[in-house]
Amino acid sequence: MKLAVASGKGGTGKSMIAANLAFTLSRTEPVSLVDCDVEEPNLHLFFPGQGTPRDVTVPVPVIDDSLCDRCGKCGDFCQYGAITVLPNRVLFFAELCHSCGGCTLVCPKKAIREEQKRIGTVSLSLPLPFLDLFTGTLDTGSPHAVPVIREAKKQAAAGDSIMIIDTAPGTSCPVVEALEGCDACILVTESTPFGLHDLQLAADVTARLGIPAGIVINRSDGNDEEILRFCTDHDLDVMMTIPFSREIAAIQSRGDLLCRARPEWQKDFMGLWVKCRALAGAGP
Amino acid sequence: MKLCFTAQGATLESPTEDRFGRAPYFIIVESEDGSFDAIRNPYADGGGGVGPKAAQVLIANNVKALVSGQVGGNAKEVLAAAGIAMYTFRAGGTVKDALDQFTKNTLARSG
Ligand code: SF4
Ligand code: SF4
């Protein structure tokens, strides 16, 4: 079972839901928790500990000027605009290159070879007996989050544990990459109607990917009518509501987990898990 | 000398377009005799890297100067390396207006 935790916008407490769910489940089953918010991974804050980082690299073309005759074939081929061939030199923009390898194949002079370039890391730590935490981290300045996310998911999928995937907020390419192949998705939102439009976009993406989704309302102020109406209209089940409370906020801000500080919440998170399984069609 | 203007349509009466890489049309004017060609920009709706790809269209058409509203960093680098001068026209108006200003030498050079 692969479960994604996503949200239309940032700051809804998505990571907190993923961390508590993983914590609770790992008391009875092996869980791989995957942080795919690679530009700002934060799950490790809930589970401090030393991780073992491994580099994620992508192949980038390197052109040997002494072999190149400026024929222009590589530049014509590259649909991402990463190569421009001028009469006297070849310009390469690393941040536009998608590492497709095409230019190397089309060069008639064999003037292009590929070098591995590091774009980020995937780090594994073992904070609890049954919990593996995989953290994808994109190097600052690197534009390509997708290969890091792919690698983090690949490493986490090596075992057959339950996978809980924390995506980046929003609906960008990295979010789609994180959602790809998931059996179900939790969409985390707050009570305020502000985020409704973003929630709608996120729900559209999961629907388009064919991933069944359900809602968790976090920091509810008790006035959830608009969200509830939205969910009814869109056929989305509200699987759990967490009220706004100073106590929960305090637990969070000292970096603790709700389910560790207040174990009675584990029952609620188990209930959420049962609903997610039902969503995925795996049966309750 | 060939000049290129970014435009929303295919004629000299078309409004100019501020964006370079995503401009719908490139109007290429021969400064010697005022004749022009309209090229539909194949990258107007493209994903990433449209700037350098659009710059390659200008290079292929032997353009020597570009008049546009804003040119992105990568496109700028390609155009500069190819020896294409860049001028800014953001006043709004038609390609013809921009051409007049270019001829009167009142446009600021941006690269
Ligand atoms: S295809 Fe090869 S030879 Fe041709 S311009 Fe590119 S690098 Fe040079
Ligand atoms: S590897 Fe692909 S994306 Fe990168 S420069 Fe070559 S053709 Fe372009």
Side-chain angles (χ1 to χ4, degrees), chain B residues 47-108:
Chain B
V50 291
K53 287 306 256 187
Q56 288 169 22
V57 174
L58 268 49
I59 297 169
N61 282 280
N62 205 18
V63 166
K64 293 294 174 228
L66 165 70
V67 178
S68 186
Q70 58 184 44
V71 182
N74 291 329
K76 234 179 191 162
E77 197 175 328
V78 172
L79 293 167
I84 298 177
M86 288 162 262
Y87 295 85
T88 308
F89 178 80
R90 235 187 312 227
T94 63
V95 173
K96 210 160 175 310
D97 299 334
L99 175 60
D100 283 346
Q101 291 213 27
F102 179 85
T103 318
K104 285 192 216 133
N105 219 351
T106 52
L107 295 179

Side-chain angles (χ1 to χ4, degrees), chain A residues 61 74 77-78 80 82-83 92 96-104 114:
Chain A
C74 54
F77 178 87
C78 183
Y80 302 107
I83 302 184
F92 174 64
L96 297 180
C97 173
H98 283 57
S99 298
C100 74
C103 51
T104 310
E114 290 185 331

Side-chain angles (χ1 to χ4, degrees), chain A residues 62-65 67-75 83-86 89-90 103-104 106-112:
Chain A
V62 179
I63 298 169
D64 184 339
D65 276 332
L67 297 174
C68 168
D69 66 359
R70 277 29 107 197
C71 72
K73 291 219 166 64
C74 54
I83 302 184
T84 298
V85 181
L86 299 169
R89 62 185 168 123
V90 179
C103 51
T104 310
V106 300
C107 174
K109 295 282 170 192
K110 303 235 172 308
I112 308 182

